[in-house]
Amino acid sequence: MPATITEREGESAGSAIITNDFVIKFANVNGSGSASANSLFAKCVLRMGVPIAARNIFPSNIQGLPTWYEVRVSEAGWLGRRGGVDLMVAMNPQTWAEDVRSIGPGFYLFHDTTKPLPPSMARDDIHVIGAPLTRICNETYADPRQRQLFKNIMYVGALAHLLGIPTDTVERLLQEEFAAKPKLIDANLHAFHLGRDYAQSSMAPIRLRLSPADKVGDRIFVEGNSACALGAVYGGATVCAWYPITPSTSLAEAFTAHCKALRTDSESGKAKYAVVQGEDEIASIGIVIGAGWNGARAFTCTSGPGVSLMQEFIGLSYFAEIPAVIFDVQRGGPSTGMPTRTQQSDLLSAAYASHGDTKHPMLFPADPTECFEMGALAFDLADRLQTTIFVMLDLDIGMNEWLCAPFAWEDGKRLDRGKVMTRDDLGAGIDFGRYLDVDGDGITYRTYPGAHPNKGAYFTRGTSRDRYARYSEEGAVYTDNMQRLLRKFDTAKSLVPAPVRRDAARRTPYGVVYFGSTTPAMHEAIDALERQGRHVNALRIRGFPFSDEVFDFIRAHEQVFVVEQNRDGQLRALLINEGGVHPTRLTPVLHYDGTPITARFITAEIAGQMKSIETMPVSD
């Protein structure tokens, strides 16, 4: 069985072969053409039936700064970041010292050996290997751009030999990748064989190996942003209004591509959708709310700075009760922060967006499969609850490709438009009050514009009004409306996705709650803690407002760890604020350096906190 992180922690390379369980990291310069070569390597491993977790760490400029691509090979199926590097492919002199430091003792540094490596640039406890990539390229290619691009394919060739990737696997993938540009196939195949042949003739074997397995199954490899966009299509969205912002831009682009394929009339060729790039984020959310008021399913996609700008319109959606969906692909903040790094730091700003007393439902997908499912569900919830629904991704899920279950959709599934009073209802004389709660769930009936020639109309306003949408600033009328909105929010508890619980093998006073992209690393950390004899019950939160089950879980444990990727413990703050939980019951485990959280970090933090609690003196 492949080694676990507990067994590999701090391990130095000896003589034993490590098969299908290691981390390889590529350090490149942004704009050098390395992305396609690194992606090719990752896909080759998948074609061998071995699961991988691939993450791209890139700068916010266009060209010239460092970029990394990390591929975790894990036959056991762990998809979170492990932490540490077993094979560093160091192609960027700017980050050399940092890259060398990250290599585990006894493992491997691969570099371009065209120039001799000064001893001061390596470490005594690692193995330095490589190939003269620049020299071979200079001897083979005259064009400077070809020299750069094919150098990347050459190191894939060398790695293929060292690690045991079958040649025909790479050849087939290259033919598929360049099927639309057949002239490039032979050139890339030639560069691949240059690297492979050099490694075969000149490089000694290493102890990291890939071996064919059958562990990928029918899973797909896809980005969360694309999955959300496809979910939006299946969820009935016909309007997207957006303004470009990293890391959400690819969601709008994917929605456009999916709509061209799925929402274009086959006979006339006309688009049955609208994608509008507003002049800014404020205009974008305004367009979404206008479309939602008119009966369309509409959304915008943005990140933290965009949510900040949208505040007043979000408040209008809440108070006028107009459906809208916002996909918030979170990044490092505050201000411009780290645009191309990941965090879970928009929870508070989304939950309580706008001024006054507002609360907004949020969905927390953990992988692209849930991005698809929740991307569709968000539109049903927006119509049911007549408010803004936030789908809270982050850069790690949104812009990285994840191995996940295939998307599924129930044939014949109908869109849930919620409480809509029809022409026939109005004609039958049913009493219509736009803000009249007839059954106590806080949700009122609405009408679409033009539903009836002389009934069902109302004035949509962001100011205080009574149950029949008539302007009023009477305190009792205002209070009545605000209390109803609280009832509606309470109803939402039963509509958002329920939490997922995982109990330890034995009784324990410890619990842990987590959400979103933290999930795969958290699962591995739980397994590692159990191997240390430390047991925790776990609850993955998938929606806000929190269900009673969340607070029942907290009350059932003496101490609950709250694992999240932000500085201030925003999930913890929400739990305290919404559930009246005493702060000492919730221990924060926080990771916020902009890189995805690792299983090793979670394991060490929780184990350390447990040890401190268990050794704490007991007062008389």
Side-chain angles (χ1 to χ4, degrees):
M1 180 178 177
T4 67
I5 61 166
T6 303
E7 294 164 338
R8 292 290 306 279
E9 183 73 45
E11 178 189 41
S12 295
S15 58
I17 299 296
I18 298 174
T19 302
N20 294 348
D21 179 40
F22 55 87
V23 174
I24 179 170
K25 192 169 185 178
F26 300 85
N28 301 99
V29 176
N30 200 36
S32 64
S34 59
S36 58
N38 298 342
S39 177
L40 174 71
F41 173 85
K43 291 175 182 177
C44 285
V45 181
L46 284 175
R47 288 290 177 92
M48 295 178 68
V50 183
I52 65 165
R55 286 175 169 84
N56 190 18
I57 303 170
F58 58 98
S60 56
N61 75 333
I62 296 175
Q63 187 165 336
L65 287 183
T67 183
W68 294 268
Y69 188 72
E70 182 178 288
V71 179
R72 181 181 184 181
V73 178
S74 174
E75 186 174 334
W78 300 120
L79 299 179
R81 287 188 71 219
R82 186 199 72 187
V85 177
D86 302 317
L87 173 57
M88 174 63 72
V89 181
M91 295 290 130
N92 187 357
Q94 289 178 287
T95 62
W96 183 274
E98 176 184 349
D99 296 333
V100 170
R101 277 197 305 271
S102 67
I103 303 169
F107 286 98
Y108 300 94
L109 168 67
F110 180 104
H111 75 114
D112 184 347
T113 62
T114 299
K115 293 183 179 180
L117 180 66
S120 61
M121 295 182 68
R123 279 170 36 196
D124 294 338
D125 62 344
I126 62 174
H127 300 282
V128 180
I129 59 176
L133 304 174
T134 300
R135 178 177 63 79
I136 296 173
C137 282
N138 289 345
E139 293 171 355
T140 308
Y141 306 106
D143 181 79
R145 185 58 176 165
Q146 284 187 326
R147 290 174 174 176
Q148 177 59 59
L149 294 176
F150 289 133
K151 181 165 68 174
N152 301 320
I153 298 298
M154 280 182 59
Y155 68 62
V156 172
L159 294 172
H161 171 73
L162 288 173
L163 298 173
I165 301 175
T167 299
D168 60 351
T169 297
V170 185
E171 290 175 340
R172 282 196 300 270
L173 263 172
L174 282 171
Q175 289 167 355
E176 292 172 16
E177 292 287 322
F178 295 103
K181 300 177 180 179
K183 291 183 180 180
L184 296 178
I185 294 176
D186 287 343
N188 278 274
L189 286 172
H190 181 251
F192 164 73
H193 281 286
L194 283 175
R196 189 184 185 283
D197 292 347
Y198 178 86
Q200 188 173 22
S201 64
S202 306
M203 297 182 69
I206 64 175
R207 61 187 292 250
L208 304 178
R209 301 295 294 172
L210 289 165
S211 178
D214 188 17
K215 302 295 184 180
V216 173
D218 65 349
R219 285 182 288 180
I220 59 177
F221 197 51
V222 64
E223 291 182 353
N225 279 354
S226 181
C228 273
L230 187 60
V233 173
Y234 274 75
T238 56
V239 176
C240 167
W242 67 295
Y243 186 78
I245 182 172
T246 303
S248 71
T249 295
S250 63
L251 200 159
E253 292 171 343
F255 180 76
T256 304
H258 293 321
C259 282
K260 285 181 179 179
L262 301 172
R263 289 203 185 284
T264 302
D265 186 85
S266 57
E267 295 183 1
S268 66
K270 291 184 178 180
K272 296 189 289 185
Y273 61 94
V275 178
V276 182
Q277 181 177 324
E279 59 266 35
D280 53 31
E281 288 88 349
I282 302 171
S284 299
I285 188 62
I287 292 168
V288 168
I289 291 173
W293 173 85
N294 203 42
R297 289 192 158 187
F299 75 92
T300 188
C301 49
T302 189
S303 192
V307 174
S308 296
L309 288 169
M310 296 176 185
Q311 297 281 309
E312 188 169 357
F313 264 131
I314 295 171
L316 174 64
S317 166
Y318 175 80
F319 201 52
E321 298 181 70
I322 301 171
V325 172
I326 297 176
F327 292 97
D328 181 1
V329 191
Q330 299 165 90
R331 70 189 207 184
S335 188
T336 306
M338 297 189 292
T340 59
R341 298 292 187 264
T342 194
Q343 279 186 2
Q344 298 172 318
S345 55
D346 293 349
L347 270 65
L348 292 175
S349 63
Y352 303 127
S354 198
H355 53 277
D357 294 321
T358 55
K359 292 185 180 184
H360 311 289
M362 299 185 291
L363 309 181
F364 304 122
D367 60 26
T369 301
E370 287 195 339
C371 286
F372 171 76
E373 295 167 351
M374 294 184 186
L377 173 64
F379 293 92
D380 275 356
L381 292 179
D383 274 350
R384 282 282 297 275
L385 295 166
Q386 300 172 28
T387 194
T388 293
I389 305 295
F390 282 91
V391 183
M392 305 297 288
L393 294 80
D394 56 39
L395 183 145
D396 186 23
I397 293 180
M399 293 194 70
N400 285 318
E401 292 177 303
W402 287 49
L403 194 62
C404 62
F407 305 156
W409 189 257
E410 181 182 342
D411 290 339
K413 181 178 174 65
R414 298 177 62 85
L415 304 181
D416 185 350
R417 300 310 301 258
K419 293 181 177 180
V420 178
M421 195 163 285
T422 65
R423 179 189 181 96
D424 291 341
D425 295 332
L426 295 166
I430 296 176
D431 184 26
F432 172 68
R434 176 62 185 93
Y435 303 106
L436 177 64
D437 182 6
V438 298
D439 53 15
D441 65 358
I443 304 172
T444 64
Y445 278 86
R446 61 176 174 142
T447 56
Y448 296 139
H452 192 279
N454 51 36
K455 295 182 180 181
Y458 63 93
F459 191 87
T460 304
R461 62 174 87 243
T463 50
S464 180
R465 69 277 160 157
D466 67 12
R467 297 178 180 183
Y468 290 86
R470 297 174 299 214
Y471 175 77
S472 172
E473 291 189 14
E474 292 183 24
V477 171
Y478 172 81
T479 303
D480 175 70
N481 191 52
M482 293 297 285
Q483 286 299 118
R484 179 185 58 78
L485 289 171
L486 273 183
R487 290 199 303 275
K488 182 169 76 169
F489 196 71
D490 191 62
T491 297
K493 291 180 183 179
S494 63
L495 300 178
V496 300
V500 177
R501 179 166 177 161
R502 171 180 171 176
D503 285 335
R506 64 182 63 174
R507 189 176 180 86
T508 175
Y510 297 109
V512 60
V513 297
Y514 57 99
F515 69 102
S517 64
T518 303
T519 299
M522 186 72 245
H523 288 174
E524 186 177 3
I526 292 170
D527 183 79
L529 288 165
E530 287 181 351
R531 291 176 182 272
Q532 295 178 14
R534 299 187 177 278
H535 301 276
V536 294
N537 295 324
L539 192 75
R540 177 165 70 91
I541 294 176
R542 300 199 299 156
F544 175 80
F546 305 126
S547 67
D548 293 340
E549 185 180 349
V550 173
F551 299 110
D552 291 342
F553 179 86
I554 293 171
R555 283 190 292 269
H557 297 86
E558 295 176 14
Q559 201 68 36
V560 175
F561 303 101
V562 185
V563 182
E564 50 188 315
Q565 299 182 65
N566 57 69
R567 184 195 68 181
D568 293 341
Q570 295 187 23
L571 176 61
R572 179 175 178 268
L574 277 175
L575 291 167
I576 293 168
N577 191 51
E578 296 294 320
V581 181
H582 196 284
T584 59
R585 302 275 309 265
L586 302 177
T587 301
V589 177
L590 307 176
H591 180 277
Y592 52 92
D593 68 0
T595 62
I597 197 168
T598 68
R600 288 181 175 176
F601 173 85
I602 297 172
T603 303
E605 286 292 310
I606 292 181
Q609 294 278 9
M610 282 184 172
K611 186 176 180 180
S612 296
I613 293 169
E614 291 160 1
T615 58
M616 189 178 300
V618 179
S619 58
D620 294 333

